[in-house]
Amino acid sequence: MARKLIIAANWKMNKGPSETGGFLKTFLAKIAPSTSNCEVVVAPPFVSLATASELVANSNVELAAQNVSEYDSGAYTGEINVVMLKELFVRHVILGHSERRSIYGETDAVINAKIKKAREANLKPIFCIGETLEEREAGKLEEVLRTQVRGGLDGVSEKDLLESVLAYEPVWAIGTGVTASPEQAQEAHAFVRSLLAEFYGAAVSEKIRIQYGGSVKPGNSAELMGQPDIDGALVGGASLEAQSFLELIENAVAGA
Ligand code: PEP
């Protein structure tokens, strides 16, 4: 079944409002119509969302946040809730990123609560999963992915899953310059899709887009997107420069 590509830029803790404005002006002026069959999403830091929101307003580039609170409002110093994101026309939210898991101790249960809170507000989760090198080398790839998928999606309805995207990001490939080979990535994606089929049925699993993340660049995006179960990319480093991100998208569309 044809699944529309979705390519998202995760800027992490880079680009304040003025840099965000500069990037988006260049990017929006150059993004080619050939990428119109690809959903393009940009996730700036929270403080740059208002600037980004104004600039992408009449374009087909969508906004994502990099995180959201699992709580509604109140005494949660430093947190941002779903209502605040909606006010800025944010459509997606990255949840379960390995940096949130490893640096900030987010568990599958916390990620699950965030996914549910996001869906209550009709935000679309980009739900990240992936194994460390130690886990892969210990033969635990499937066990880790099963635990993360089951835990993150516990109690998430079929309807809400259909509004979500998964991102398979092997931790050893994030920001390292080491990319999973297209075969390694495809194998993991096929396994994740089989988990979704087990939990939600084959018809649903065929509709869910699974992005690959981990050192995706203009030079490897075509081959990765050519794999049958890879439906997009979550991109860190190569999304920080407008020209590189544009080339990555164009090559991905050509290779899909
Ligand atoms: C990411 O942060 O999700 C990521 C995949 O980063 P990079 O592309 O830099 O590996």
Side-chain angles (χ1 to χ4, degrees):
M1 93 144 348
R3 292 175 292 262
K4 189 174 181 178
L5 274 189
I6 175 164
I7 301 196
N10 174 15
W11 288 349
K12 313 191 186 191
M13 198 166 69
N14 296 292
K15 298 192 192 299
S18 56
E19 261 194 88
T20 294
F23 176 106
L24 284 174
K25 280 176 198 151
T26 310
F27 184 71
L28 293 169
K30 289 192 181 168
I31 192 160
S34 64
T35 58
S36 63
N37 55 350
C38 170
E39 217 173 319
V40 177
V41 179
V42 176
F46 285 132
V47 294
S48 302
L49 284 171
T51 303
S53 185
E54 281 184 26
L55 288 167
V56 302
N58 293 312
S59 75
N60 47 18
V61 174
E62 296 162 12
L63 269 194
Q66 297 175 19
N67 187 22
V68 75
S69 173
E70 66 272 47
Y71 301 112
D72 286 324
S73 64
Y76 299 101
T77 301
E79 292 291 292
I80 298 289
N81 70 24
V82 290
V83 179
M84 297 168 187
L85 297 182
K86 292 292 286 185
E87 196 176 330
L88 294 177
F89 305 101
V90 171
R91 300 268 289 275
H92 309 259
V93 58
I94 299 171
L95 295 172
H97 192 280
S98 69
E99 288 150 19
R100 300 294 320 168
R101 293 177 188 263
S102 67
I103 306 171
Y104 299 99
E106 288 192 11
T107 60
D108 291 326
V110 168
I111 295 158
N112 177 249
K114 291 185 176 198
I115 290 175
K116 288 175 174 163
K117 188 55 68 182
R119 286 306 306 142
E120 276 175 29
N122 203 25
L123 285 168
K124 295 166 184 274
I126 295 176
F127 167 37
C128 306
I129 52 173
E131 82 290 359
T132 63
L133 189 58
E134 296 69 43
E135 289 165 339
R136 176 174 274 264
E137 287 178 348
K140 291 186 175 161
L141 170 65
E142 295 193 352
E143 183 188 325
V144 169
L145 294 179
R146 174 177 286 275
T147 303
Q148 291 177 346
V149 171
R150 191 193 285 276
L153 295 179
D154 186 33
V156 172
S157 68
E158 174 182 317
K159 185 167 162 283
D160 285 334
L161 178 70
L162 286 166
E163 297 297 332
S164 309
V165 168
L166 270 73
Y168 168 65
E169 298 205 302
V171 178
W172 46 273
I174 297 178
T176 58
V178 179
T179 318
S181 68
E183 295 74 25
Q184 283 174 318
Q186 167 56 27
E187 197 181 323
H189 279 234
F191 178 69
V192 172
R193 201 175 302 287
S194 79
L195 288 174
L196 295 176
E198 184 183 326
F199 301 146
Y200 291 91
V204 172
S205 82
E206 284 301 310
K207 291 184 185 151
I208 306 300
R209 292 176 296 176
I210 307 174
Q211 295 175 312
Y212 169 77
S215 300
V216 181
K217 305 179 263 272
N220 60 22
S221 62
E223 204 182 358
L224 285 162
M225 296 311 118
Q227 303 302 311
D229 286 293
I230 301 184
D231 311 307
L234 182 55
V235 188
S239 72
L240 289 172
E241 203 262 304
Q243 192 54 39
S244 142
F245 192 43
L246 284 162
E247 278 172 33
L248 185 156
I249 296 167
E250 277 162 22
N251 294 346
V253 170

